[in-house]
Amino acid sequence: MRADGRAADELREVRITPDWINTAEGSALVEFGNTRVLCAASLTEGVPRWLKGQGRGWVTAEYAMLPRATDSRSTRESVKGKQGGRTHEISRLIGRSLRAVIDMDKLGENTLVLDCDVLQADGGTRTASITGAYVALAKAIDKGRSTGLIPAAHQPLIDSVAAVSVGIIDGEPLLDLPYVEDSRAETDMNVVMTGSGKFIEVQGTAEGAPFDRDELGKLLDLAGHGCTELTRIQSEVLAG
Amino acid sequence: MRADGRAADELREVRITPDWINTAEGSALVEFGNTRVLCAASLTEGVPRWLKGQGRGWVTAEYAMLPRATDSRSTRESVKGKQGGRTHEISRLIGRSLRAVIDMDKLGENTLVLDCDVLQADGGTRTASITGAYVALAKAIDKGRSTGLIPAAHQPLIDSVAAVSVGIIDGEPLLDLPYVEDSRAETDMNVVMTGSGKFIEVQGTAEGAPFDRDELGKLLDLAGHGCTELTRIQSEVLAG
Amino acid sequence: MRADGRAADELREVRITPDWINTAEGSALVEFGNTRVLCAASLTEGVPRWLKGQGRGWVTAEYAMLPRATDSRSTRESVKGKQGGRTHEISRLIGRSLRAVIDMDKLGENTLVLDCDVLQADGGTRTASITGAYVALAKAIDKGRSTGLIPAAHQPLIDSVAAVSVGIIDGEPLLDLPYVEDSRAETDMNVVMTGSGKFIEVQGTAEGAPFDRDELGKLLDLAGHGCTELTRIQSEVLAG
Amino acid sequence: MRADGRAADELREVRITPDWINTAEGSALVEFGNTRVLCAASLTEGVPRWLKGQGRGWVTAEYAMLPRATDSRSTRESVKGKQGGRTHEISRLIGRSLRAVIDMDKLGENTLVLDCDVLQADGGTRTASITGAYVALAKAIDKGRSTGLIPAAHQPLIDSVAAVSVGIIDGEPLLDLPYVEDSRAETDMNVVMTGSGKFIEVQGTAEGAPFDRDELGKLLDLAGHGCTELTRIQSEVLAG
Amino acid sequence: MRADGRAADELREVRITPDWINTAEGSALVEFGNTRVLCAASLTEGVPRWLKGQGRGWVTAEYAMLPRATDSRSTRESVKGKQGGRTHEISRLIGRSLRAVIDMDKLGENTLVLDCDVLQADGGTRTASITGAYVALAKAIDKGRSTGLIPAAHQPLIDSVAAVSVGIIDGEPLLDLPYVEDSRAETDMNVVMTGSGKFIEVQGTAEGAPFDRDELGKLLDLAGHGCTELTRIQSEVLAG
Amino acid sequence: MRADGRAADELREVRITPDWINTAEGSALVEFGNTRVLCAASLTEGVPRWLKGQGRGWVTAEYAMLPRATDSRSTRESVKGKQGGRTHEISRLIGRSLRAVIDMDKLGENTLVLDCDVLQADGGTRTASITGAYVALAKAIDKGRSTGLIPAAHQPLIDSVAAVSVGIIDGEPLLDLPYVEDSRAETDMNVVMTGSGKFIEVQGTAEGAPFDRDELGKLLDLAGHGCTELTRIQSEVLAG
């Protein structure tokens, strides 16, 4: 049994509170255990210059951590004057993941920006961000279709998306790692899946020892199981 | 009567939730109506190089807004590569305000950093930040005294601090302005006061028309009234 | 009596030399004792993008210190790659102060930029900057009305503006603090007033101990006295 | 058959020229078809501050592209004043990949920095970089063991590492994609493997359409085949 | 005799390989002994905003060093977040030198950017860059005239340009200094000349001791001799 | 005759006011006609890390222009977040020029920083800066020898240094070009000389047309004449 009493294939308690702020077109506070991320979706008319005139939309994302989201304070990136490599990498991952479930033609020449700000971090912040950002995104698209920015007859969402981390610790594959497990994992994998069960991203990294095909397979099974559960929660939240 | 139904000398609904995150030594989520700020106090051993060896502590603050705290999204300062003038100005104000109620000798060679991150903005973010940061600070000092980082016999807190905005609209002095009032104010004033009723900061600005001594007096009366009420709320929250 | 032999309510020797450089539309070298600031006003056609087409003008300011304006050399902000919080804060104060005496409709779609560069610093650099910038501004407006950039029938200046610092040292309120006094002040206040005697900005800060309503009143009296004198000097200089 | 006449499971012509520059402790010019990357390994005494005193070494990497490595010129990151997200992401990937084959205890308190500068880009620059960086690294370690910086009795290299890209185009899995194929791929995967055939990194991304378990399996087979061949070439080059 | 066996007025072995990369409109790998610089010329339609509508072209240059071009690794300027003074100075020198042999009217509203990236440095990198950049530039102009971007009837090249360093060591004037000589030189001079034998730039610097008119004359003689030889090599390379 | 009535070999009116500010160890306001530069010399104990323990001193310089030194306002480099190439180039030139007349062993482990800030620009700002910086430097060294930071028995100054610009306009060599001439010059040369008549820097640039050996000779003659006169003025000013 794990330190927090979970089974190997069990998610932490997951809560998604939609509309946690009302300034954005869509928003959600997502919690995977103690990991807490505020996701805001901004929907605005127009697209970046290089996309103009093609009738297609754009989706992008920015991820950040508050300085005291972690047990020891980190310096603000605005004070350092630049974003770090980890921030860039996760922002890009979130953007790609959400773009995979959007039909850009149906979105029309509109832009969706997903801001995922980690308020408290306990492992799995990037997967919680993707899972919560989907809810904020769906809310913003609803709003856009009701205000007419997106024609009501168009549904740009072609599937849902959820993500979870998996890893191998002491030779055992585990689902949804909190920080204390993540820091000890030999192999760490983040898996992003559609609601229909296909892969959008598979990012496996050997932190301690290289892994083989068999271990990879077990991790993918576990991730598939977790994403199915997350998809169910997203669906309930959106059904209201 | 005001748009939100309040009397001229009435605060918005104020809620302070202490320990909203558990990664920091002290924290509080403060709400002045729709304005919502997460305040985290970090207490660490040691002081900046220029203060070393004097047996005295240091207190500083950083203020920031999430990109979607406002009705239209603003670019992240980490993406721009620098903090703006408004951010700097408010961070400095918060730092000075909190330093005014700390006995640096009693704090010892320890540093307190207050992070005030605005999650949703509806006017008065700097005054809400100061008011909430005081609660986070008091919590962190309690923690420090219980862990021994600060000797239990020392109480570095010499007073409490609260802040509120006041302004003149259509010739009438009003307390605690939301954004819709703030943007129309002829004169705008932020007042920071100790729990014992003295001034730490008085910052009055003629946005529309210069003001006279009499108007200044009325605004200070109103602010005194608001800070008394905020001090009471802080005290209740800290009494637990 | 004070270290430099002045009475409590006496200004340092104030000199304003208009047209000290001839490259700008308006300029003035202002001296408050050893504090020496070069103020240049640039008047150009056009306004920032967000103001276009409204028939209104724009006024902004930038403050900076030469590296060796002070007794020990400070690193250039261009070398650090960013402006500090103090620079931002003072630039914003100067801009707000000057905007308060300009009728933007009369200015038309033109921009005034005030550059205040401190050549030698001995306390009160922000108040000297505002006082000198007004002279540079008035000169630039004269120039604009004579060249026709501003219609000669329009007078955008609706009042004059001057500023002075006041503070409490050893319990005594004093006018126009040089560095040696400023660094010891319990309370420090910068007051910006119109020539007609109203307040544009009141910024009081408790550096040592919180202050009460009575002390605030005495400081405002002293500041009013100082600004009246500065207004007289500005007026003489501009009368030529 | 592919545009360049290769079979689906065939690498482009791969050339690795060791010691292409003689200023670095180890270097290699690596070519995967028209993709040409200069890899330099710097071996220096000492480790970053946070690692000091533990008797362990450090390995890190930096990736960059010359402005005219591509068909249209890109702005230099030194001119923009910051590195982009893609640069950060690839630098981190190269660093992790090389660290996986180094025994940090055997390396001792020494640092290895791998610089991978793309001189000409035609797809697969990150995988070519990892493959070439391994040769530069091995050369630098040889040098360090011969000069005594690393004790001759210690061999920090525990395995070799090579990397290749694979992708699905028009439903068909292909090995080692040049730019013209990469830009059309539905799914794109970069795989980093040890010489002994285990995985260090698996990064699969659905660019066009989500992929399933079966497609993932075929891509991993193809990548395993390519890495085996690259390992053979590295081994020949290092055998001299 | 010199350490490398050359006579005082002898160049190092000079090799220029045109079209070393095929992504740019023109390119050349230039080697002066161990100094190796990749020069790429980008020819694009259009000019900077301030030049538009005048029917004239623009030529500019950027110089940089790879981090491991030198015996000890230097930090990347993209990591530092800014270009250093030396980089700026040399970029400007290369730009001015190339502009001197271009008829901007004949170039038409097109822009030529010369990128000179030092792959290995052993003294004389700026003079090698100018000499190689001329070849890349000539190639790019040929390309532009063949594609019609520049009318075939127009020849924007009005002369060729080459550059060499000279210096005084132990009182003796020497041609084309490698790093080991350059670092010991009392006086160091970089001379840029046209193929027709006139001066474009003369930059003489007393590193150790001031120099007189007679020494200046001897250095110019030596540089003239070296540039004549470089002009011959450029001409052969371009004749193909 | 020239537009300002001078002969071809005549300097503009040159004024050097020593001790123009009293915050620095040495200072001078230098004027070459309308060009006006404030030069401040900072003398402090200690040297940069890379020079420590060698018993030798260090001299460096920073040049900058106030935004309104010129007829049209330029953006502050602190606002842009970086120094431009021209600023870097001139700062480096001033530093090299001053270092050439200092005996670093006699200076001891002390640092001299020369700040040259252009208050008004009308051509020749870099040569005026060097000429004025020498006076500030000499003053600071006097101060250091009187306070004992530099042993009174040591005289680090081994010569004086002055600089002047020369150029060819309409085929005629002219001395000390104001902006109106400088912008029309075919060839522009800045010459830095010691008081004893030798060259420290010769920087000749063909702005319009390449120049020959004969023209170079005439320009050097003219510069020698100008520097002799500047040396006389410096000497008078320092004699007090």
Side-chain angles (χ1 to χ4, degrees), chain F residues 22 24-25 37 49 53 55 62 99 107 113 117 147 170 177 230-231 240:
Chain F
N22 58 31
E25 283 73 35
V37 184
R49 182 188 305 259
E62 290 185 8
R99 279 194 290 277
L107 180 54
V113 180
D117 285 88
T147 62
D170 300 334
L177 314 185
L230 291 168
T231 298

Side-chain angles (χ1 to χ4, degrees), chain D residues 25 50 60 70-71 97 100 112 131 139 144 150 175-176 194 215 226 230 235:
Chain D
E25 283 73 34
W50 51 273
T60 189
T70 44
D71 280 349
S97 298
L112 275 158
T131 305
K139 284 279 176 179
I150 301 169
L175 179 66
D176 188 18
T194 59
E215 290 167 316
L230 291 168
S235 163

Side-chain angles (χ1 to χ4, degrees), chain A residues 48-122:
Chain A
R49 183 187 307 257
W50 51 273
L51 257 181
K52 273 186 188 157
Q54 303 181 27
R56 314 188 69 231
W58 182 237
V59 176
T60 188
E62 291 185 8
Y63 165 97
M65 261 205 201
L66 292 198
R68 204 49 211 277
T70 44
D71 280 350
S72 66
R73 187 178 185 272
S74 53
T75 304
R76 279 174 200 273
E77 294 185 323
S78 60
V79 169
K80 287 189 205 165
K82 59 179 174 185
Q83 296 184 292
R86 183 181 174 279
T87 298
H88 271 134
E89 192 172 309
I90 300 178
S91 295
R92 288 159 58 90
L93 171 64
I94 300 171
R96 283 198 308 272
S97 298
L98 275 296
R99 278 194 290 276
V101 296
I102 294 286
D103 178 332
M104 294 297 176
D105 292 315
K106 293 262 176 61
L107 181 54
E109 293 211 359
N110 297 302
T111 294
L112 277 158
V113 180
L114 281 309
D115 284 293
C116 298
D117 286 89
V118 181
L119 307 185
Q120 190 168 258
D122 186 24

Side-chain angles (χ1 to χ4, degrees), chain F residues 28-63:
Chain F
L29 183 75
V30 60
E31 295 166 273
F32 278 29
N34 284 325
T35 287
R36 197 179 295 173
V37 184
L38 177 52
C39 304
S42 299
L43 174 65
T44 50
E45 206 173 345
V47 286
R49 182 188 305 259
W50 50 273
L51 257 181
K52 273 187 188 159
Q54 304 180 26
R56 314 187 69 231
W58 182 238
V59 176
T60 188
E62 290 185 8
Y63 165 96

Side-chain angles (χ1 to χ4, degrees), chain F residues 2-4 6 12 71 121-124 169 174 176-185:
Chain F
R2 300 158 78 174
D4 54 11
R6 281 187 289 150
R12 288 179 282 179
D71 280 348
D122 186 25
I169 295 179
L174 298 176
D176 187 19
L177 314 185
Y179 178 74
V180 71
E181 289 178 354
D182 187 55
S183 57
R184 290 181 48 223

